[in-house]
Amino acid sequence: SPLLRPDPAHASRVDVRFHADGYAGVRIELVHRQLARHGGGWAGYRARLDGPKGWTHALNRLVELLVMEEDGVRQRLTVTP
């Protein structure tokens, strides 16, 4: 397989912020910007990220791994696109 050689000049930016949400909740805000820096195919890249295997899918998979347990009760986190 070819070596991956990322070029920062052609990289998009992903900002992740964590916000308190209620007593014990956390809201995670993810903003993916500057996609046009990827070049001519950026619109297709954006469409794939908005699709069924894009960011929402990736975050839901992460949530499956982040299960809190409180007083013996499993608390599931949820993703709101």
Side-chain angles (χ1 to χ4, degrees), residues 17-29 68 77-78:
R17 295 187 179 109
F18 298 85
H19 304 276
D21 188 14
Y23 169 70
V26 175
R27 180 173 56 88
I28 301 171
E29 176 186 6
M68 299 184 319
L77 304 174
T78 58

Side-chain angles (χ1 to χ4, degrees), residues 16-75:
V16 181
R17 295 187 179 109
F18 298 85
H19 304 276
D21 188 14
Y23 169 70
V26 175
R27 180 173 56 88
I28 301 171
E29 176 186 6
L30 184 141
V31 178
H32 192 173
R33 64 178 103 223
Q34 300 174 332
L35 277 93
R37 293 176 72 186
H38 287 283
W42 77 269
Y45 181 52
R46 165 84 190 263
R48 288 190 301 279
L49 290 170
D50 286 341
K53 292 291 185 179
W55 276 117
T56 300
H57 172 74
L59 293 172
N60 278 317
R61 293 287 295 137
L62 177 62
V63 165
E64 289 174 11
L65 300 173
L66 300 175
V67 176
M68 299 184 319
E69 189 166 323
E70 185 174 319
D71 298 327
V73 177
R74 291 171 60 102
Q75 305 283 330

